[in-house]
Amino acid sequence: MIDLKTNSLLDGKEIAGPVATNEKYILLSLFVGQFRFPDNIQEIIDILESVRSGSKTWLEANDDLMFMQIGYDSGDFKCDKDTAYFIADNSTYQNMEMPLHDLIDIMKNWKIFMS
C-alpha cells in the first residue's frame, strides 16, 4: 500500500493535504490533496468509478479533456479502465502508474478523513 502521511490540526498545523513519504508518490499526494471538500472528492470518485465500470471512457467522464491537471502545475492525470496515470510536467516529479481501483480506495479514505 502507498504510505501517505497527513498534516492535520492534531499536529498543530492546518490540514494541507496528504504528504508523500516517498518521492515516487508526490504526484499522487498532490492529486489527492487538491480535493478538500467531501462533495468534490465524491465527484472525482464518481468519475473514476464510471471509467472503471466501463460505463464511460475517460474523455466522456472528463468532459472531453484528455487530462486533468494536478495542482501547482506539477503534472497531469488520466486513466483508463484499469490504470491511473500521473504524468509529470517537469523533472522535479516522477511519472507514476497505479491500479485504478487502488486510487479509488485512496479517494474514498480521503473523503472519510475530510468529512
Side-chain angles (χ1 to χ4, degrees):
M1 187 63 184
I2 298 164
D3 186 21
L4 296 175
K5 69 176 186 140
T6 305
N7 291 332
S8 71
L9 294 174
L10 297 175
D11 300 329
K13 300 176 184 175
E14 184 177 335
I15 295 173
V19 178
T21 56
N22 181 322
E23 285 189 17
K24 177 180 177 183
Y25 303 115
I26 290 175
L27 283 179
L28 170 62
S29 69
L30 291 172
F31 177 81
V32 172
Q34 70 188 0
F35 306 105
R36 298 206 174 122
F37 301 100
D39 289 344
N40 298 104
I41 299 167
Q42 186 60 52
E43 182 180 344
I44 297 303
I45 292 168
D46 292 345
I47 288 170
L48 299 176
E49 287 182 333
S50 70
V51 174
R52 184 168 181 238
S53 72
S55 65
K56 291 186 179 181
T57 66
W58 170 247
L59 287 175
E60 292 168 337
N62 196 38
D63 297 325
D64 289 328
L65 298 174
M66 181 64 73
F67 298 104
M68 183 180 290
Q69 187 176 21
I70 298 174
Y72 310 108
D73 296 325
S74 54
D76 295 301
F77 171 83
K78 70 177 186 174
C79 66
D80 59 31
K81 189 174 181 173
D82 299 314
T83 307
Y85 303 93
F86 299 86
I87 302 126
D89 279 349
N90 60 56
S91 61
T92 305
Y93 307 108
Q94 295 180 30
N95 292 337
M96 187 185 122
E97 296 178 15
M98 67 184 298
L100 184 56
H101 66 86
D102 286 349
L103 177 58
I104 292 169
D105 290 344
I106 288 169
M107 294 303 293
K108 287 178 179 179
N109 288 331
W110 182 237
K111 181 182 172 189
I112 290 167
F113 177 79
M114 294 303 286
S115 295

